[in-house]
mmCIF file with all atom_site columns, all heavy atoms in Angstrom:
data_model
loop_
_atom_site.group_PDB
_atom_site.id
_atom_site.type_symbol
_atom_site.label_atom_id
_atom_site.label_alt_id
_atom_site.label_comp_id
_atom_site.label_asym_id
_atom_site.label_entity_id
_atom_site.label_seq_id
_atom_site.pdbx_PDB_ins_code
_atom_site.Cartn_x
_atom_site.Cartn_y
_atom_site.Cartn_z
_atom_site.occupancy
_atom_site.B_iso_or_equiv
_atom_site.pdbx_formal_charge
_atom_site.auth_seq_id
_atom_site.auth_comp_id
_atom_site.auth_asym_id
_atom_site.auth_atom_id
_atom_site.pdbx_PDB_model_num
ATOM 1   N N   . VAL V 1 271 ? 25.767 11.661 -4.010  1.00 88.00 ? 1266 VAL V N   1
ATOM 2   C CA  . VAL V 1 271 ? 26.283 11.897 -5.269  1.00 88.00 ? 1266 VAL V CA  1
ATOM 3   C C   . VAL V 1 271 ? 27.830 11.890 -5.364  1.00 88.00 ? 1266 VAL V C   1
ATOM 4   O O   . VAL V 1 271 ? 28.308 11.442 -6.374  1.00 88.00 ? 1266 VAL V O   1
ATOM 5   C CB  . VAL V 1 271 ? 25.696 13.216 -5.813  1.00 88.00 ? 1266 VAL V CB  1
ATOM 6   C CG1 . VAL V 1 271 ? 24.128 13.125 -5.852  1.00 88.00 ? 1266 VAL V CG1 1
ATOM 7   C CG2 . VAL V 1 271 ? 26.095 14.412 -5.043  1.00 88.00 ? 1266 VAL V CG2 1
ATOM 8   N N   . THR V 1 272 ? 28.465 12.420 -4.343  1.00 90.00 ? 1267 THR V N   1
ATOM 9   C CA  . THR V 1 272 ? 29.960 12.423 -4.500  1.00 90.00 ? 1267 THR V CA  1
ATOM 10  C C   . THR V 1 272 ? 30.569 10.945 -4.311  1.00 90.00 ? 1267 THR V C   1
ATOM 11  O O   . THR V 1 272 ? 31.480 10.669 -5.054  1.00 90.00 ? 1267 THR V O   1
ATOM 12  C CB  . THR V 1 272 ? 30.516 13.313 -3.311  1.00 90.00 ? 1267 THR V CB  1
ATOM 13  O OG1 . THR V 1 272 ? 30.092 12.860 -2.073  1.00 90.00 ? 1267 THR V OG1 1
ATOM 14  C CG2 . THR V 1 272 ? 30.155 14.773 -3.629  1.00 90.00 ? 1267 THR V CG2 1
ATOM 15  N N   . ILE V 1 273 ? 30.032 10.183 -3.406  1.00 90.00 ? 1268 ILE V N   1
ATOM 16  C CA  . ILE V 1 273 ? 30.543 8.926  -3.357  1.00 90.00 ? 1268 ILE V CA  1
ATOM 17  C C   . ILE V 1 273 ? 30.326 8.124  -4.612  1.00 90.00 ? 1268 ILE V C   1
ATOM 18  O O   . ILE V 1 273 ? 31.100 7.189  -5.057  1.00 90.00 ? 1268 ILE V O   1
ATOM 19  C CB  . ILE V 1 273 ? 30.075 8.209  -1.936  1.00 90.00 ? 1268 ILE V CB  1
ATOM 20  C CG1 . ILE V 1 273 ? 31.065 6.997  -1.679  1.00 90.00 ? 1268 ILE V CG1 1
ATOM 21  C CG2 . ILE V 1 273 ? 28.756 7.695  -2.109  1.00 90.00 ? 1268 ILE V CG2 1
ATOM 22  C CD1 . ILE V 1 273 ? 32.349 7.375  -1.230  1.00 90.00 ? 1268 ILE V CD1 1
ATOM 23  N N   . THR V 1 274 ? 29.045 8.185  -5.209  1.00 89.00 ? 1269 THR V N   1
ATOM 24  C CA  . THR V 1 274 ? 28.747 7.491  -6.357  1.00 89.00 ? 1269 THR V CA  1
ATOM 25  C C   . THR V 1 274 ? 29.555 7.915  -7.535  1.00 89.00 ? 1269 THR V C   1
ATOM 26  O O   . THR V 1 274 ? 29.944 7.049  -8.227  1.00 89.00 ? 1269 THR V O   1
ATOM 27  C CB  . THR V 1 274 ? 27.162 7.751  -6.649  1.00 89.00 ? 1269 THR V CB  1
ATOM 28  O OG1 . THR V 1 274 ? 26.362 7.412  -5.511  1.00 89.00 ? 1269 THR V OG1 1
ATOM 29  C CG2 . THR V 1 274 ? 26.786 7.058  -7.867  1.00 89.00 ? 1269 THR V CG2 1
ATOM 30  N N   . GLN V 1 275 ? 29.812 9.246  -7.647  1.00 91.00 ? 1270 GLN V N   1
ATOM 31  C CA  . GLN V 1 275 ? 30.639 9.616  -8.746  1.00 91.00 ? 1270 GLN V CA  1
ATOM 32  C C   . GLN V 1 275 ? 32.149 9.167  -8.615  1.00 91.00 ? 1270 GLN V C   1
ATOM 33  O O   . GLN V 1 275 ? 32.674 8.733  -9.571  1.00 91.00 ? 1270 GLN V O   1
ATOM 34  C CB  . GLN V 1 275 ? 30.586 11.136 -8.848  1.00 91.00 ? 1270 GLN V CB  1
ATOM 35  C CG  . GLN V 1 275 ? 29.342 11.743 -9.490  1.00 91.00 ? 1270 GLN V CG  1
ATOM 36  C CD  . GLN V 1 275 ? 29.074 11.245 -10.747 1.00 91.00 ? 1270 GLN V CD  1
ATOM 37  O OE1 . GLN V 1 275 ? 28.092 10.342 -11.008 1.00 91.00 ? 1270 GLN V OE1 1
ATOM 38  N NE2 . GLN V 1 275 ? 29.712 11.405 -11.786 1.00 91.00 ? 1270 GLN V NE2 1
ATOM 39  N N   . ALA V 1 276 ? 32.653 9.213  -7.347  1.00 89.00 ? 1271 ALA V N   1
ATOM 40  C CA  . ALA V 1 276 ? 34.047 8.824  -7.274  1.00 89.00 ? 1271 ALA V CA  1
ATOM 41  C C   . ALA V 1 276 ? 34.132 7.280  -7.483  1.00 89.00 ? 1271 ALA V C   1
ATOM 42  O O   . ALA V 1 276 ? 35.004 6.714  -8.276  1.00 89.00 ? 1271 ALA V O   1
ATOM 43  C CB  . ALA V 1 276 ? 34.449 8.959  -5.845  1.00 89.00 ? 1271 ALA V CB  1
ATOM 44  N N   . SER V 1 277 ? 33.042 6.379  -7.080  1.00 88.00 ? 1272 SER V N   1
ATOM 45  C CA  . SER V 1 277 ? 33.076 5.046  -7.366  1.00 88.00 ? 1272 SER V CA  1
ATOM 46  C C   . SER V 1 277 ? 33.001 4.824  -9.016  1.00 88.00 ? 1272 SER V C   1
ATOM 47  O O   . SER V 1 277 ? 33.658 3.891  -9.406  1.00 88.00 ? 1272 SER V O   1
ATOM 48  C CB  . SER V 1 277 ? 31.978 4.354  -6.610  1.00 88.00 ? 1272 SER V CB  1
ATOM 49  O OG  . SER V 1 277 ? 32.183 4.412  -5.262  1.00 88.00 ? 1272 SER V OG  1
ATOM 50  N N   . ALA V 1 278 ? 32.118 5.681  -9.550  1.00 89.00 ? 1273 ALA V N   1
ATOM 51  C CA  . ALA V 1 278 ? 31.882 5.425  -10.968 1.00 89.00 ? 1273 ALA V CA  1
ATOM 52  C C   . ALA V 1 278 ? 33.110 5.587  -11.782 1.00 89.00 ? 1273 ALA V C   1
ATOM 53  O O   . ALA V 1 278 ? 33.426 4.789  -12.669 1.00 89.00 ? 1273 ALA V O   1
ATOM 54  C CB  . ALA V 1 278 ? 30.773 6.419  -11.470 1.00 89.00 ? 1273 ALA V CB  1
ATOM 55  N N   . VAL V 1 279 ? 33.880 6.698  -11.412 1.00 90.00 ? 1274 VAL V N   1
ATOM 56  C CA  . VAL V 1 279 ? 35.214 6.820  -12.053 1.00 90.00 ? 1274 VAL V CA  1
ATOM 57  C C   . VAL V 1 279 ? 36.218 5.829  -11.932 1.00 90.00 ? 1274 VAL V C   1
ATOM 58  O O   . VAL V 1 279 ? 36.873 5.365  -12.792 1.00 90.00 ? 1274 VAL V O   1
ATOM 59  C CB  . VAL V 1 279 ? 35.759 8.270  -11.609 1.00 90.00 ? 1274 VAL V CB  1
ATOM 60  C CG1 . VAL V 1 279 ? 37.225 8.500  -12.335 1.00 90.00 ? 1274 VAL V CG1 1
ATOM 61  C CG2 . VAL V 1 279 ? 34.855 9.453  -12.071 1.00 90.00 ? 1274 VAL V CG2 1
ATOM 62  N N   . TRP V 1 280 ? 36.244 5.234  -10.645 1.00 86.00 ? 1275 TRP V N   1
ATOM 63  C CA  . TRP V 1 280 ? 37.244 4.254  -10.287 1.00 86.00 ? 1275 TRP V CA  1
ATOM 64  C C   . TRP V 1 280 ? 36.815 2.934  -11.131 1.00 86.00 ? 1275 TRP V C   1
ATOM 65  O O   . TRP V 1 280 ? 37.697 2.256  -11.642 1.00 86.00 ? 1275 TRP V O   1
ATOM 66  C CB  . TRP V 1 280 ? 37.093 3.867  -8.754  1.00 86.00 ? 1275 TRP V CB  1
ATOM 67  C CG  . TRP V 1 280 ? 38.452 4.218  -8.233  1.00 86.00 ? 1275 TRP V CG  1
ATOM 68  C CD1 . TRP V 1 280 ? 39.527 3.480  -7.902  1.00 86.00 ? 1275 TRP V CD1 1
ATOM 69  C CD2 . TRP V 1 280 ? 38.754 5.613  -7.755  1.00 86.00 ? 1275 TRP V CD2 1
ATOM 70  N NE1 . TRP V 1 280 ? 40.518 4.190  -7.386  1.00 86.00 ? 1275 TRP V NE1 1
ATOM 71  C CE2 . TRP V 1 280 ? 40.165 5.425  -7.165  1.00 86.00 ? 1275 TRP V CE2 1
ATOM 72  C CE3 . TRP V 1 280 ? 38.296 6.822  -7.692  1.00 86.00 ? 1275 TRP V CE3 1
ATOM 73  C CZ2 . TRP V 1 280 ? 40.864 6.614  -6.689  1.00 86.00 ? 1275 TRP V CZ2 1
ATOM 74  C CZ3 . TRP V 1 280 ? 38.873 7.902  -7.218  1.00 86.00 ? 1275 TRP V CZ3 1
ATOM 75  C CH2 . TRP V 1 280 ? 40.168 7.756  -6.724  1.00 86.00 ? 1275 TRP V CH2 1
ATOM 76  N N   . GLU V 1 281 ? 35.513 2.663  -11.152 1.00 87.00 ? 1276 GLU V N   1
ATOM 77  C CA  . GLU V 1 281 ? 35.126 1.490  -12.012 1.00 87.00 ? 1276 GLU V CA  1
ATOM 78  C C   . GLU V 1 281 ? 35.379 1.683  -13.569 1.00 87.00 ? 1276 GLU V C   1
ATOM 79  O O   . GLU V 1 281 ? 35.757 0.796  -14.235 1.00 87.00 ? 1276 GLU V O   1
ATOM 80  C CB  . GLU V 1 281 ? 33.656 1.186  -11.850 1.00 87.00 ? 1276 GLU V CB  1
ATOM 81  C CG  . GLU V 1 281 ? 33.285 0.771  -10.337 1.00 87.00 ? 1276 GLU V CG  1
ATOM 82  C CD  . GLU V 1 281 ? 33.935 -0.381 -9.820  1.00 87.00 ? 1276 GLU V CD  1
ATOM 83  O OE1 . GLU V 1 281 ? 34.313 -1.422 -10.787 1.00 87.00 ? 1276 GLU V OE1 1
ATOM 84  O OE2 . GLU V 1 281 ? 34.286 -0.515 -8.697  1.00 87.00 ? 1276 GLU V OE2 1
ATOM 85  N N   . LEU V 1 282 ? 35.254 2.902  -14.043 1.00 88.00 ? 1277 LEU V N   1
ATOM 86  C CA  . LEU V 1 282 ? 35.422 3.183  -15.385 1.00 88.00 ? 1277 LEU V CA  1
ATOM 87  C C   . LEU V 1 282 ? 37.006 3.000  -15.652 1.00 88.00 ? 1277 LEU V C   1
ATOM 88  O O   . LEU V 1 282 ? 37.408 2.523  -16.652 1.00 88.00 ? 1277 LEU V O   1
ATOM 89  C CB  . LEU V 1 282 ? 34.977 4.561  -15.787 1.00 88.00 ? 1277 LEU V CB  1
ATOM 90  C CG  . LEU V 1 282 ? 33.589 4.794  -15.799 1.00 88.00 ? 1277 LEU V CG  1
ATOM 91  C CD1 . LEU V 1 282 ? 33.242 6.249  -15.904 1.00 88.00 ? 1277 LEU V CD1 1
ATOM 92  C CD2 . LEU V 1 282 ? 32.968 4.003  -16.969 1.00 88.00 ? 1277 LEU V CD2 1
ATOM 93  N N   . HIS V 1 283 ? 37.827 3.530  -14.721 1.00 85.00 ? 1278 HIS V N   1
ATOM 94  C CA  . HIS V 1 283 ? 39.331 3.367  -14.836 1.00 85.00 ? 1278 HIS V CA  1
ATOM 95  C C   . HIS V 1 283 ? 39.632 1.899  -14.770 1.00 85.00 ? 1278 HIS V C   1
ATOM 96  O O   . HIS V 1 283 ? 40.521 1.457  -15.565 1.00 85.00 ? 1278 HIS V O   1
ATOM 97  C CB  . HIS V 1 283 ? 39.937 4.099  -13.844 1.00 85.00 ? 1278 HIS V CB  1
ATOM 98  C CG  . HIS V 1 283 ? 41.422 3.987  -13.671 1.00 85.00 ? 1278 HIS V CG  1
ATOM 99  N ND1 . HIS V 1 283 ? 42.217 4.370  -14.759 1.00 85.00 ? 1278 HIS V ND1 1
ATOM 100 C CD2 . HIS V 1 283 ? 42.212 3.473  -12.722 1.00 85.00 ? 1278 HIS V CD2 1
ATOM 101 C CE1 . HIS V 1 283 ? 43.446 4.102  -14.437 1.00 85.00 ? 1278 HIS V CE1 1
ATOM 102 N NE2 . HIS V 1 283 ? 43.590 3.594  -13.270 1.00 85.00 ? 1278 HIS V NE2 1
ATOM 103 N N   . GLY V 1 284 ? 38.961 1.113  -13.951 1.00 82.00 ? 1279 GLY V N   1
ATOM 104 C CA  . GLY V 1 284 ? 39.315 -0.309 -13.827 1.00 82.00 ? 1279 GLY V CA  1
ATOM 105 C C   . GLY V 1 284 ? 39.043 -1.119 -15.109 1.00 82.00 ? 1279 GLY V C   1
ATOM 106 O O   . GLY V 1 284 ? 39.818 -2.041 -15.542 1.00 82.00 ? 1279 GLY V O   1
ATOM 107 N N   . SER V 1 285 ? 37.863 -0.689 -15.870 1.00 82.00 ? 1280 SER V N   1
ATOM 108 C CA  . SER V 1 285 ? 37.478 -1.299 -17.047 1.00 82.00 ? 1280 SER V CA  1
ATOM 109 C C   . SER V 1 285 ? 38.365 -0.767 -18.200 1.00 82.00 ? 1280 SER V C   1
ATOM 110 O O   . SER V 1 285 ? 38.496 -1.535 -19.294 1.00 82.00 ? 1280 SER V O   1
ATOM 111 C CB  . SER V 1 285 ? 36.155 -1.137 -17.394 1.00 82.00 ? 1280 SER V CB  1
ATOM 112 O OG  . SER V 1 285 ? 35.703 0.209  -17.521 1.00 82.00 ? 1280 SER V OG  1
ATOM 113 N N   . SER V 1 286 ? 38.833 0.420  -18.152 1.00 82.00 ? 1281 SER V N   1
ATOM 114 C CA  . SER V 1 286 ? 39.616 1.000  -19.319 1.00 82.00 ? 1281 SER V CA  1
ATOM 115 C C   . SER V 1 286 ? 40.878 1.537  -18.688 1.00 82.00 ? 1281 SER V C   1
ATOM 116 O O   . SER V 1 286 ? 40.931 2.915  -18.557 1.00 82.00 ? 1281 SER V O   1
ATOM 117 C CB  . SER V 1 286 ? 38.821 2.054  -20.017 1.00 82.00 ? 1281 SER V CB  1
ATOM 118 O OG  . SER V 1 286 ? 37.675 1.395  -20.594 1.00 82.00 ? 1281 SER V OG  1
#
Side-chain angles (χ1 to χ4, degrees):
V1266 298
T1267 55
I1268 200 70
T1269 300
Q1270 284 305 112
S1272 296
V1274 172
W1275 249 265
E1276 294 301 327
L1277 291 171
H1278 175 62
S1280 62
S1281 302

